[in-house]
Amino acid sequence: MGNIILTGDRPTGKLHIGHFVGSLQNRVKMQNEGNFDKMYVMIADSQALTDNFNNVKKVQDNIIEVALDYLSVGIDPNKVTLFLQSQVSELTEFNFYYLNLVTLARAKRNPTVKSEMKEKGYKDDVPLGFLCYPVSQTADITAFNANIVPVGEDQLPVIEQAREIVRTFNNLYGETLIEPIGVLPDKSTCKRLPGTDGIHKMSKSLGNCIYLSDSEQDIKKKVFSMYTDENHIKVSDPGKVEGNVVFSYLDAFCEDEHFKKYLPEYNNLDELKAHYRKGGLGDVKIKNFLNSILQEILLPIRTKRQELEKDKDKIMNILYNGSKQASLDAHKNLIRLKTAMGINYFNEI
Ligand code: ATP
Ligand code: MG
């Protein structure tokens, strides 16, 4: 059997350049290489409700925004099934059975959930839906028999939990499900792109983002307000590259061609870093360079987005058709699951 790929994003805000290097670029590449049986891209609106159940409007409003972001970076609904999680009710059934396979202690031990709970200030008041989102994510993956899940690094513990659930299920009910693998981007900075605050990972919920849809002025403002190295005060001071957010972004986005265009006195990033470390290279120069690169990458995405925004009905129609298709596919696998468990009482096929 060939590969089945599934990925998704929570509609809790517009997508940012962390998503772009962490997962979107990989998805578009895989989509265009066509080396798969099926590829699904899911807007995880039900998962977004687990910590936004009291702010449904935020999730509603961002569904179209995330869909616009997908299409503007090149996700093609003719090649992939683009769907809305809440409209594929089979997923909740998978989730219901998997919940029995995970203990409370295990759910609480997931490092990603733990750190997100801390960020959100949840203790024993955590909604069960939030605590168990890795279980519902397992439902999303296995409902389509997906074996490949392109993700950022923060999601690896969630994929690990999915693999455990699959193993537990197969041990109990016989070989039925496939253990998925999380596929990370090659470059290490892209696995967890820091936010413009330089502290946390870039995250919609923290507002430390450069969005794919940001205007030229916003991008420039955000780049120029970044902290670099607090001890690099005068141009002549030696500077630190590690932990310097401008260099983290250059690691993620800069290609040798960018030097020819914007900074021809250097051949590559290693030379620029060496000069910064030695002293004699000012922050304005590196920020101007980063700004030029980001503007070049984001301009075509923003332009395409502005075009697509004119026909939102068309976008909703793509999501409607994709959700219908996803529901049909998940239904077939649900029958397999229930048969394996011995609860397909009316022998549905
Ligand atoms: P939220 O704050 O609502 O959780 P988010 O910014 O973390 O939003 P998600 O929708 O949770 O975004 O993540 C979608 C995908 O993007 C996941 O695969 C995740 O690993 C990846 N991702 C998110 N942020 C980054 C980042 N800063 N660097 C690399 N990948 C990221
Ligand atoms: Mg997240």
Side-chain angles (χ1 to χ4, degrees), residues 30-58:
M30 285 179 175
Q31 165 198 282
N32 293 338
E33 284 168 356
N35 188 18
F36 54 82
D37 274 359
K38 292 225 50 157
M39 181 163 170
Y40 298 90
V41 177
M42 174 183 84
I43 301 185
D45 62 326
S46 310
Q47 191 191 115
L49 287 176
T50 61
D51 54 328
N52 290 284
F53 54 88
N54 51 1
N55 194 357
V56 181
K57 182 152 188 339
K58 172 173 152 190

Side-chain angles (χ1 to χ4, degrees), residues 102-115:
V102 181
T103 64
L104 179 61
R106 176 63 181 97
K108 282 182 169 170
R109 229 175 27 238
N110 184 308
T112 305
V113 174
K114 249 167 125 173
S115 80

Side-chain angles (χ1 to χ4, degrees), residues 293-308:
I293 296 171
L294 290 180
Q295 298 290 359
E296 178 183 321
I297 295 172
L298 296 177
L299 175 67
I301 297 174
R302 190 169 62 235
T303 311
K304 188 159 174 201
R305 202 179 195 281
Q306 282 160 356
E307 198 47 46
L308 291 163

Side-chain angles (χ1 to χ4, degrees), residues 169-185:
F169 187 98
N170 287 346
N171 282 336
L172 277 169
Y173 306 116
E175 281 300 313
T176 313
L177 306 172
I178 299 171
E179 274 187 54
I181 52 165
V183 177
L184 292 176

Side-chain angles (χ1 to χ4, degrees), residues 10 19 47 116 133 154-155 201 203-205:
R10 293 152 38 95
H19 296 118
Q47 191 191 115
E116 288 176 348
Y133 90 70
D154 62 302
Q155 287 296 307
K201 88 164 181 80
S203 164
K204 292 180 233 108
S205 304

Side-chain angles (χ1 to χ4, degrees), residues 11 43 59-70 305 311-316 319:
I43 301 185
V59 176
Q60 266 174 6
D61 290 348
N62 280 303
I63 288 171
I64 190 85
E65 301 297 340
V66 171
L68 283 165
D69 287 327
Y70 283 161
R305 202 179 195 281
D311 195 352
K312 290 190 177 163
D313 287 348
K314 190 170 155 195
I315 315 268
M316 288 314 281
L319 292 181

